[in-house]
Amino acid sequence: MVEVVDSTNQYLAGINGKIVDETRNMLVIEVEDMYEKQVPKMGSTFVFHLPVGSGCSPATSVEVGGTLLLSQPENRTKNIRKLRMR
């Protein structure tokens, strides 16, 4: 589960649901009424709710700025490695 806690677009703040797709600049979130909302990563802050049994005990929430997520999902691990080497 993910929740948008802050956004430059006031109408996107408060959206919560399940991430169903991701592009370089957007997260697609399926909200409770089965609609999909596209939320830009740039200018948004997300809280990811990690369930029990995902290596975290008890359930944990992690706040992440969308600018940290800006990259193609398949290239993100390469980019993180480059940042650590600096």
Side-chain angles (χ1 to χ4, degrees):
M1 292 291 290
V2 66
E3 179 181 359
V4 182
V5 291
D6 189 29
S7 179
T8 54
N9 181 344
Q10 65 181 1
Y11 298 107
L12 296 176
I15 290 176
N16 59 26
K18 182 172 85 170
I19 297 175
V20 292
D21 196 13
E22 178 181 10
T23 65
R24 181 181 186 280
N25 297 313
M26 299 282 230
L27 288 179
V28 180
I29 301 173
E30 182 180 59
V31 294
E32 63 188 41
D33 50 0
M34 302 303 288
Y35 288 104
E36 293 180 353
K37 302 278 187 170
Q38 293 186 352
V39 180
K41 294 176 184 176
M42 179 66 80
S44 298
T45 303
F46 303 94
V47 172
F48 293 91
H49 302 283
L50 307 175
V52 175
S54 63
C56 301
S57 179
T60 305
S61 297
V62 179
E63 186 172 310
V64 179
T67 53
L68 292 174
L69 301 174
L70 280 175
S71 70
Q72 293 174 323
E74 61 271 16
N75 294 334
R76 190 169 298 126
T77 55
K78 294 177 198 174
N79 296 340
I80 289 173
R81 230 179 290 145
K82 288 178 186 175
L83 287 173
R84 286 185 184 167
M85 295 180 124
R86 290 184 187 181

Coordinates of all heavy atoms in Angstrom, one line a residue:
M1 N 0.8 -1.2 0.0 CA 0.0 0.0 0.0 C 0.9 1.2 0.0 O 1.9 1.3 0.6 CB -0.9 0.0 1.2 CG -2.0 -1.1 1.3 SD -3.3 -0.8 0.1 CE -4.1 0.6 0.7
V2 N 0.4 2.3 -0.7 CA 1.1 3.5 -0.8 C 0.1 4.6 -0.5 O -1.1 4.5 -0.9 CB 1.9 3.7 -2.1 CG1 0.9 3.8 -3.3 CG2 2.8 4.9 -2.1
E3 N 0.6 5.7 0.0 CA -0.2 6.9 0.2 C 0.6 8.1 -0.2 O 1.8 8.3 0.1 CB -0.6 7.0 1.7 CG -1.4 8.2 2.0 CD -1.8 8.3 3.5 OE1 -1.4 7.4 4.3 OE2 -2.4 9.3 3.9
V4 N -0.1 9.1 -0.9 CA 0.5 10.3 -1.3 C 0.2 11.3 -0.2 O -0.9 11.7 0.1 CB -0.1 10.9 -2.6 CG1 0.6 12.1 -3.0 CG2 0.0 9.8 -3.7
V5 N 1.3 11.7 0.6 CA 1.1 12.6 1.7 C 1.3 14.0 1.4 O 0.8 14.9 2.1 CB 2.0 12.2 2.9 CG1 1.5 10.9 3.5 CG2 3.4 12.2 2.5
D6 N 2.0 14.3 0.3 CA 2.2 15.7 -0.1 C 2.5 15.7 -1.6 O 3.1 14.8 -2.2 CB 3.5 16.3 0.6 CG 3.6 17.8 0.4 OD1 2.6 18.4 0.2 OD2 4.8 18.2 0.4
S7 N 2.0 16.7 -2.3 CA 2.1 16.9 -3.7 C 2.0 18.3 -4.1 O 1.3 19.1 -3.4 CB 1.1 16.0 -4.5 OG 1.2 16.2 -5.8
T8 N 2.6 18.7 -5.2 CA 2.4 20.1 -5.7 C 1.0 20.2 -6.3 O 0.6 21.4 -6.3 CB 3.5 20.4 -6.8 OG1 3.4 19.4 -7.8 CG2 4.9 20.4 -6.2
N9 N 0.4 19.2 -6.6 CA -1.0 19.2 -7.0 C -1.9 18.8 -5.8 O -1.9 17.6 -5.4 CB -1.2 18.2 -8.2 CG -2.7 18.2 -8.7 OD1 -3.6 18.7 -8.0 ND2 -2.9 17.6 -9.9
Q10 N -2.6 19.8 -5.3 CA -3.4 19.5 -4.1 C -4.4 18.4 -4.2 O -4.8 17.8 -3.2 CB -4.1 20.8 -3.6 CG -5.1 21.3 -4.6 CD -5.8 22.6 -4.1 OE1 -5.4 23.1 -3.1 NE2 -6.7 23.1 -4.9
Y11 N -4.9 18.1 -5.4 CA -5.9 17.1 -5.6 C -5.3 15.7 -5.5 O -6.0 14.7 -5.3 CB -6.6 17.3 -6.9 CG -7.3 18.6 -7.0 CD1 -6.8 19.6 -7.8 CD2 -8.5 18.8 -6.3 CE1 -7.5 20.8 -7.8 CE2 -9.1 20.0 -6.3 CZ -8.6 21.0 -7.1 OH -9.3 22.2 -7.1
L12 N -4.0 15.5 -5.6 CA -3.4 14.2 -5.5 C -3.0 13.8 -4.0 O -2.9 12.6 -3.7 CB -2.1 14.2 -6.3 CG -2.3 14.3 -7.8 CD1 -1.0 14.3 -8.6 CD2 -3.2 13.2 -8.4
A13 N -2.9 14.8 -3.2 CA -2.5 14.5 -1.8 C -3.7 13.7 -1.1 O -4.9 14.1 -1.3 CB -2.3 15.8 -1.0
G14 N -3.4 12.7 -0.4 CA -4.4 11.9 0.2 C -4.8 10.6 -0.5 O -5.5 9.8 0.0
I15 N -4.3 10.5 -1.8 CA -4.6 9.3 -2.5 C -3.9 8.1 -1.9 O -2.7 8.2 -1.5 CB -4.2 9.4 -4.0 CG1 -5.1 10.4 -4.7 CG2 -4.2 8.1 -4.7 CD1 -4.7 10.7 -6.1
N16 N -4.6 7.0 -1.7 CA -3.9 5.8 -1.3 C -4.4 4.6 -2.0 O -5.6 4.5 -2.5 CB -4.0 5.6 0.3 CG -5.4 5.6 0.7 OD1 -6.3 5.2 0.0 ND2 -5.6 5.9 2.0
G17 N -3.6 3.6 -2.1 CA -4.0 2.3 -2.8 C -2.8 1.5 -3.1 O -1.7 1.6 -2.4
K18 N -2.9 0.7 -4.1 CA -1.9 -0.3 -4.5 C -1.2 0.2 -5.8 O -1.9 0.6 -6.7 CB -2.5 -1.6 -4.7 CG -1.5 -2.7 -5.1 CD -2.2 -4.1 -5.1 CE -2.8 -4.3 -6.4 NZ -3.3 -5.7 -6.6
I19 N 0.1 0.1 -5.9 CA 0.8 0.5 -7.1 C 0.7 -0.6 -8.1 O 1.0 -1.8 -7.8 CB 2.3 0.8 -6.8 CG1 2.5 1.9 -5.9 CG2 3.1 1.0 -8.1 CD1 3.9 2.2 -5.4
V20 N 0.1 -0.3 -9.3 CA -0.1 -1.3 -10.3 C 0.9 -1.1 -11.5 O 1.0 -2.0 -12.3 CB -1.5 -1.3 -10.8 CG1 -2.4 -1.8 -9.7 CG2 -2.0 0.0 -11.3
D21 N 1.5 0.1 -11.6 CA 2.4 0.3 -12.7 C 3.3 1.4 -12.3 O 3.0 2.3 -11.5 CB 1.7 0.6 -14.0 CG 2.5 0.5 -15.3 OD1 3.6 -0.1 -15.2 OD2 2.1 1.0 -16.3
E22 N 4.5 1.5 -13.0 CA 5.5 2.5 -12.7 C 6.2 2.8 -14.0 O 6.6 1.9 -14.8 CB 6.5 2.1 -11.7 CG 7.5 3.1 -11.4 CD 8.5 2.6 -10.3 OE1 8.5 1.4 -10.0 OE2 9.3 3.4 -9.9
T23 N 6.4 4.1 -14.3 CA 7.2 4.6 -15.4 C 8.3 5.4 -14.8 O 8.4 5.5 -13.6 CB 6.4 5.4 -16.4 OG1 5.9 6.6 -15.8 CG2 5.2 4.6 -16.9
R24 N 9.1 6.0 -15.7 CA 10.2 6.8 -15.2 C 9.8 8.0 -14.3 O 10.4 8.3 -13.3 CB 11.0 7.4 -16.4 CG 12.2 8.2 -16.0 CD 12.9 8.7 -17.2 NE 14.1 9.4 -16.9 CZ 14.2 10.6 -16.4 NH1 13.1 11.3 -16.2 NH2 15.3 11.2 -16.1
N25 N 8.6 8.6 -14.7 CA 8.2 9.8 -14.0 C 6.9 9.6 -13.2 O 6.5 10.6 -12.6 CB 8.0 10.9 -15.0 CG 9.3 11.3 -15.7 OD1 10.3 11.5 -15.0 ND2 9.3 11.4 -17.0
M26 N 6.2 8.5 -13.3 CA 4.9 8.4 -12.8 C 4.7 7.1 -12.0 O 5.3 6.1 -12.3 CB 3.8 8.3 -13.8 CG 3.7 9.6 -14.7 SD 2.9 10.8 -13.8 CE 1.7 11.4 -15.0
L27 N 3.9 7.1 -11.0 CA 3.4 5.9 -10.3 C 1.9 5.8 -10.7 O 1.2 6.8 -10.6 CB 3.5 6.0 -8.8 CG 4.9 5.8 -8.2 CD1 4.9 5.9 -6.7 CD2 5.6 4.5 -8.6
V28 N 1.4 4.6 -11.0 CA 0.0 4.4 -11.3 C -0.5 3.7 -10.1 O -0.1 2.6 -9.7 CB -0.3 3.6 -12.6 CG1 -1.8 3.4 -12.8 CG2 0.4 4.3 -13.8
I29 N -1.5 4.3 -9.4 CA -2.0 3.8 -8.1 C -3.5 3.4 -8.3 O -4.3 4.2 -8.8 CB -1.9 4.8 -7.0 CG1 -0.4 5.2 -6.8 CG2 -2.5 4.3 -5.7 CD1 -0.2 6.3 -5.8
E30 N -3.8 2.2 -8.0 CA -5.2 1.7 -8.0 C -5.9 2.0 -6.7 O -5.5 1.5 -5.7 CB -5.2 0.2 -8.3 CG -6.6 -0.4 -8.4 CD -6.6 -1.9 -8.6 OE1 -6.0 -2.6 -7.8 OE2 -7.1 -2.3 -9.7
V31 N -6.9 2.9 -6.8 CA -7.6 3.3 -5.6 C -8.7 2.4 -5.3 O -9.0 1.5 -6.1 CB -8.1 4.8 -5.7 CG1 -6.9 5.7 -5.7 CG2 -8.9 5.0 -6.9
E32 N -9.3 2.5 -4.1 CA -10.3 1.5 -3.6 C -11.5 1.3 -4.6 O -12.0 0.2 -4.6 CB -10.8 1.9 -2.3 CG -11.5 3.3 -2.3 CD -11.8 3.7 -0.9 OE1 -11.0 3.6 0.0 OE2 -12.9 4.3 -0.7
D33 N -11.9 2.3 -5.3 CA -13.0 2.1 -6.2 C -12.6 1.6 -7.6 O -13.3 1.8 -8.6 CB -13.9 3.3 -6.3 CG -13.1 4.6 -6.6 OD1 -11.8 4.4 -6.8 OD2 -13.6 5.7 -6.7
M34 N -11.5 0.9 -7.7 CA -10.9 0.3 -8.9 C -10.5 1.2 -10.0 O -10.4 0.8 -11.1 CB -11.9 -0.8 -9.4 CG -12.3 -1.8 -8.4 SD -10.9 -2.8 -7.8 CE -10.4 -3.7 -9.2
Y35 N -10.4 2.5 -9.7 CA -9.9 3.5 -10.7 C -8.4 3.6 -10.5 O -7.8 3.3 -9.4 CB -10.5 4.9 -10.5 CG -11.9 4.9 -10.9 CD1 -12.9 4.9 -9.9 CD2 -12.3 5.0 -12.2 CE1 -14.3 5.0 -10.3 CE2 -13.6 5.1 -12.6 CZ -14.6 5.1 -11.6 OH -15.9 5.1 -12.0
E36 N -7.7 3.9 -11.6 CA -6.3 4.1 -11.6 C -5.9 5.6 -11.6 O -6.5 6.3 -12.5 CB -5.6 3.4 -12.7 CG -5.7 1.9 -12.6 CD -5.0 1.1 -13.7 OE1 -4.6 1.8 -14.7 OE2 -5.0 -0.1 -13.6
K37 N -5.1 6.1 -10.7 CA -4.7 7.5 -10.7 C -3.2 7.5 -11.0 O -2.4 6.7 -10.5 CB -4.9 8.1 -9.3 CG -6.3 8.0 -8.8 CD -7.1 9.2 -9.4 CE -8.5 9.2 -8.7 NZ -9.2 10.3 -9.0
Q38 N -2.8 8.4 -11.9 CA -1.4 8.6 -12.2 C -0.9 9.8 -11.4 O -1.4 10.9 -11.4 CB -1.2 8.9 -13.7 CG -1.6 7.8 -14.6 CD -1.3 8.0 -16.1 OE1 -1.0 9.2 -16.4 NE2 -1.5 7.0 -16.9
V39 N 0.2 9.5 -10.7 CA 0.8 10.5 -9.8 C 2.2 10.7 -10.2 O 3.0 9.7 -10.2 CB 0.7 10.0 -8.3 CG1 1.3 11.0 -7.4 CG2 -0.7 9.7 -7.9
P40 N 2.6 11.9 -10.5 CA 4.0 12.2 -10.9 C 4.9 12.0 -9.6 O 4.5 12.4 -8.5 CB 4.0 13.6 -11.4 CG 2.8 14.3 -10.7 CD 1.8 13.1 -10.6
K41 N 6.1 11.5 -9.9 CA 7.0 11.3 -8.8 C 7.6 12.6 -8.3 O 7.7 12.9 -7.2 CB 8.1 10.4 -9.2 CG 7.7 8.9 -9.5 CD 8.8 8.1 -10.0 CE 8.4 6.7 -10.4 NZ 9.5 6.0 -11.0
M42 N 7.9 13.5 -9.3 CA 8.5 14.8 -9.0 C 7.5 15.6 -8.3 O 6.3 15.8 -8.8 CB 8.9 15.5 -10.3 CG 9.5 16.8 -10.1 SD 11.1 16.8 -9.3 CE 12.2 16.4 -10.6
G43 N 7.8 16.2 -7.2 CA 6.9 17.1 -6.5 C 6.0 16.3 -5.5 O 5.1 17.0 -4.9
S44 N 6.1 15.0 -5.4 CA 5.3 14.3 -4.5 C 6.1 13.6 -3.4 O 7.2 13.3 -3.6 CB 4.5 13.2 -5.3 OG 3.6 13.8 -6.2
T45 N 5.4 13.3 -2.3 CA 6.0 12.6 -1.2 C 5.1 11.4 -0.9 O 3.9 11.6 -0.8 CB 6.2 13.4 0.1 OG1 7.0 14.6 -0.2 CG2 6.9 12.6 1.2
F46 N 5.7 10.2 -0.8 CA 4.9 9.0 -0.6 C 5.2 8.3 0.7 O 6.4 8.4 1.2 CB 5.2 8.0 -1.8 CG 5.0 8.5 -3.1 CD1 6.1 9.1 -3.9 CD2 3.8 8.5 -3.7 CE1 5.9 9.6 -5.1 CE2 3.6 9.0 -5.0 CZ 4.6 9.5 -5.7
V47 N 4.2 7.7 1.3 CA 4.4 6.8 2.4 C 4.1 5.4 2.0 O 2.9 5.1 1.6 CB 3.6 7.2 3.6 CG1 3.7 6.2 4.8 CG2 4.0 8.6 4.1
F48 N 5.1 4.5 2.0 CA 4.9 3.1 1.7 C 4.6 2.3 3.0 O 5.4 2.4 3.9 CB 6.1 2.5 1.0 CG 6.3 3.1 -0.4 CD1 7.1 4.3 -0.5 CD2 5.7 2.6 -1.5 CE1 7.3 4.8 -1.8 CE2 5.9 3.2 -2.7 CZ 6.7 4.3 -2.9
H49 N 3.5 1.6 3.0 CA 3.2 0.8 4.2 C 3.6 -0.7 3.9 O 3.0 -1.3 3.0 CB 1.6 0.9 4.5 CG 1.2 2.3 4.7 ND1 1.4 2.9 5.9 CD2 0.5 3.1 3.9 CE1 0.9 4.1 5.8 NE2 0.3 4.3 4.6
L50 N 4.6 -1.1 4.6 CA 5.1 -2.5 4.5 C 4.4 -3.4 5.4 O 4.4 -3.2 6.6 CB 6.6 -2.5 4.7 CG 7.5 -1.4 4.0 CD1 8.9 -1.5 4.4 CD2 7.3 -1.6 2.5
P51 N 3.9 -4.5 4.9 CA 3.1 -5.4 5.7 C 4.0 -6.3 6.6 O 5.2 -6.4 6.3 CB 2.4 -6.3 4.7 CG 3.2 -6.2 3.5 CD 3.9 -4.9 3.5
V52 N 3.4 -6.8 7.6 CA 4.1 -7.8 8.5 C 4.5 -9.0 7.6 O 3.7 -9.4 6.8 CB 3.3 -8.2 9.7 CG1 3.9 -9.3 10.5 CG2 2.9 -7.0 10.5
G53 N 5.7 -9.5 7.8 CA 6.1 -10.7 7.0 C 6.9 -10.3 5.8 O 7.4 -11.1 5.0
S54 N 7.2 -9.0 5.6 CA 8.1 -8.5 4.5 C 9.5 -8.3 5.0 O 10.2 -7.5 4.4 CB 7.5 -7.3 3.9 OG 7.4 -6.2 4.8
G55 N 9.9 -8.9 6.1 CA 11.2 -8.7 6.7 C 11.1 -7.6 7.7 O 12.1 -7.4 8.4
C56 N 10.0 -7.0 7.9 CA 9.8 -6.0 9.0 C 8.8 -6.5 10.0 O 7.8 -7.1 9.6 CB 9.3 -4.7 8.4 SG 10.4 -4.0 7.1
S57 N 9.1 -6.3 11.2 CA 8.1 -6.7 12.2 C 8.2 -5.7 13.4 O 9.2 -5.5 13.9 CB 8.5 -8.1 12.8 OG 7.6 -8.5 13.8
P58 N 7.1 -5.1 13.7 CA 5.8 -5.1 13.2 C 5.7 -4.3 11.9 O 6.7 -3.9 11.3 CB 5.0 -4.4 14.3 CG 5.9 -3.5 14.9 CD 7.3 -4.2 14.8
A59 N 4.5 -4.1 11.4 CA 4.2 -3.4 10.2 C 5.0 -2.0 10.2 O 5.0 -1.4 11.3 CB 2.8 -3.2 9.9
T60 N 5.6 -1.6 9.1 CA 6.4 -0.4 9.1 C 5.9 0.5 8.0 O 5.5 0.1 6.9 CB 7.9 -0.8 8.8 OG1 8.3 -1.7 9.8 CG2 8.8 0.4 8.9
S61 N 6.1 1.8 8.2 CA 5.8 2.8 7.2 C 7.1 3.6 6.8 O 7.8 3.9 7.8 CB 4.7 3.8 7.6 OG 3.5 3.1 7.9
V62 N 7.3 3.8 5.6 CA 8.5 4.5 5.1 C 8.1 5.6 4.2 O 7.3 5.5 3.3 CB 9.4 3.5 4.3 CG1 10.7 4.2 3.8 CG2 9.8 2.3 5.1
E63 N 8.6 6.8 4.6 CA 8.3 8.0 3.8 C 9.5 8.3 2.8 O 10.6 8.3 3.2 CB 8.2 9.2 4.7 CG 7.7 10.5 3.9 CD 7.4 11.6 4.9 OE1 6.6 11.4 5.8 OE2 7.9 12.7 4.6
V64 N 9.1 8.4 1.5 CA 10.1 8.6 0.5 C 9.7 9.8 -0.4 O 8.6 9.9 -0.9 CB 10.2 7.3 -0.4 CG1 11.2 7.5 -1.5 CG2 10.5 6.1 0.4
G65 N 10.7 10.7 -0.7 CA 10.5 11.7 -1.6 C 10.5 11.2 -3.0 O 11.3 10.3 -3.4
G66 N 9.6 11.7 -3.9 CA 9.4 11.2 -5.2 C 10.7 11.4 -6.1 O 10.9 10.6 -7.0
T67 N 11.5 12.4 -5.8 CA 12.7 12.7 -6.6 C 13.7 11.5 -6.4 O 14.5 11.3 -7.3 CB 13.3 14.0 -6.2 OG1 13.6 14.0 -4.8 CG2 12.4 15.2 -6.6
L68 N 13.6 10.8 -5.3 CA 14.5 9.6 -5.1 C 14.1 8.5 -6.0 O 14.9 7.6 -6.3 CB 14.6 9.2 -3.7 CG 15.2 10.1 -2.7 CD1 15.0 9.6 -1.3 CD2 16.7 10.3 -3.0
L69 N 12.9 8.5 -6.5 CA 12.4 7.4 -7.3 C 12.5 7.7 -8.8 O 12.1 6.8 -9.6 CB 10.9 7.1 -6.9 CG 10.6 6.7 -5.5 CD1 9.1 6.6 -5.3 CD2 11.3 5.4 -5.1
L70 N 12.9 8.9 -9.1 CA 13.0 9.2 -10.6 C 14.1 8.4 -11.3 O 15.2 8.7 -11.2 CB 13.3 10.7 -10.7 CG 12.1 11.7 -10.5 CD1 12.6 13.1 -10.6 CD2 11.1 11.5 -11.5
S71 N 13.6 7.5 -12.0 CA 14.5 6.7 -12.9 C 13.6 5.5 -13.4 O 12.5 5.3 -12.9 CB 15.7 6.1 -12.3 OG 15.4 5.1 -11.4
Q72 N 14.1 4.9 -14.5 CA 13.3 3.7 -14.9 C 13.5 2.6 -13.9 O 14.6 2.4 -13.3 CB 13.9 3.2 -16.3 CG 13.6 4.2 -17.4 CD 14.3 3.8 -18.7 OE1 15.4 3.3 -18.6 NE2 13.6 4.0 -19.8
P73 N 12.4 1.9 -13.6 CA 12.4 0.9 -12.5 C 13.5 -0.1 -12.7 O 14.2 -0.5 -11.7 CB 11.1 0.3 -12.5 CG 10.2 1.2 -13.2 CD 11.0 2.0 -14.1
E74 N 13.8 -0.5 -13.9 CA 14.8 -1.5 -14.1 C 16.2 -1.0 -14.0 O 17.2 -1.8 -13.8 CB 14.6 -2.2 -15.5 CG 14.7 -1.2 -16.7 CD 13.4 -0.5 -17.1 OE1 12.5 -0.6 -16.3 OE2 13.4 0.0 -18.2
N75 N 16.4 0.3 -14.0 CA 17.7 0.9 -13.9 C 18.0 1.4 -12.5 O 19.1 1.9 -12.2 CB 17.9 2.0 -14.9 CG 17.9 1.5 -16.3 OD1 18.3 0.4 -16.6 ND2 17.5 2.4 -17.2
R76 N 17.0 1.4 -11.6 CA 17.2 2.0 -10.3 C 18.3 1.4 -9.5 O 19.1 2.1 -8.8 CB 15.9 1.9 -9.5 CG 15.9 2.8 -8.2 CD 14.6 2.9 -7.6 NE 13.7 3.6 -8.5 CZ 12.5 3.1 -8.8 NH1 12.0 2.0 -8.3 NH2 11.7 3.8 -9.7
T77 N 18.5 0.1 -9.5 CA 19.6 -0.5 -8.7 C 20.9 -0.1 -9.2 O 21.8 0.1 -8.4 CB 19.5 -2.1 -8.8 OG1 19.4 -2.5 -10.1 CG2 18.2 -2.5 -8.0
K78 N 21.1 0.1 -10.5 CA 22.4 0.6 -11.1 C 22.6 2.0 -10.6 O 23.7 2.3 -10.2 CB 22.3 0.6 -12.6 CG 22.2 -0.8 -13.2 CD 22.1 -0.6 -14.7 CE 21.6 -1.8 -15.4 NZ 21.4 -1.6 -16.8
N79 N 21.6 2.8 -10.5 CA 21.8 4.2 -10.1 C 22.1 4.3 -8.6 O 22.9 5.1 -8.2 CB 20.5 5.0 -10.4 CG 20.2 5.1 -11.9 OD1 21.1 5.0 -12.7 ND2 19.0 5.4 -12.2
I80 N 21.5 3.4 -7.8 CA 21.8 3.5 -6.4 C 23.3 3.1 -6.1 O 24.0 3.7 -5.3 CB 20.8 2.5 -5.6 CG1 19.5 3.1 -5.6 CG2 21.3 2.3 -4.2 CD1 18.4 2.2 -5.1
R81 N 23.7 2.1 -6.9 CA 25.1 1.7 -6.7 C 26.1 2.8 -7.1 O 27.1 3.0 -6.4 CB 25.4 0.5 -7.7 CG 26.1 -0.6 -6.9 CD 26.3 -1.9 -7.8 NE 25.1 -2.5 -8.1 CZ 24.8 -3.1 -9.2 NH1 25.7 -3.2 -10.2 NH2 23.7 -3.7 -9.5
K82 N 25.8 3.6 -8.1 CA 26.6 4.7 -8.5 C 26.6 5.8 -7.4 O 27.6 6.4 -7.2 CB 26.1 5.3 -9.8 CG 26.3 4.5 -11.0 CD 25.8 5.1 -12.3 CE 25.9 4.2 -13.5 NZ 25.2 4.8 -14.7
L83 N 25.5 6.0 -6.8 CA 25.4 7.0 -5.7 C 26.2 6.6 -4.5 O 26.8 7.5 -3.9 CB 23.9 7.2 -5.3 CG 23.0 8.0 -6.3 CD1 21.6 8.0 -5.8 CD2 23.5 9.4 -6.5
R84 N 26.2 5.3 -4.2 CA 27.0 4.9 -3.0 C 28.5 5.0 -3.3 O 29.3 5.1 -2.3 CB 26.7 3.4 -2.7 CG 25.3 3.3 -2.1 CD 25.0 1.9 -1.7 NE 23.7 1.7 -1.2 CZ 23.1 0.6 -1.0 NH1 23.7 -0.5 -1.3 NH2 21.9 0.5 -0.5
M85 N 29.0 4.9 -4.5 CA 30.4 4.9 -4.8 C 30.9 6.4 -4.7 O 32.1 6.5 -4.7 CB 30.7 4.3 -6.2 CG 30.3 2.9 -6.3 SD 30.7 2.3 -7.9 CE 31.8 0.9 -7.5
R86 N 30.1 7.4 -4.8 CA 30.6 8.8 -4.7 C 31.1 9.1 -3.4 O 30.9 8.7 -2.4 CB 29.4 9.7 -5.1 CG 29.1 9.6 -6.5 CD 28.0 10.7 -6.8 NE 27.6 10.4 -8.2 CZ 26.7 11.2 -8.8 NH1 26.1 12.2 -8.1 NH2 26.3 10.9 -10.0

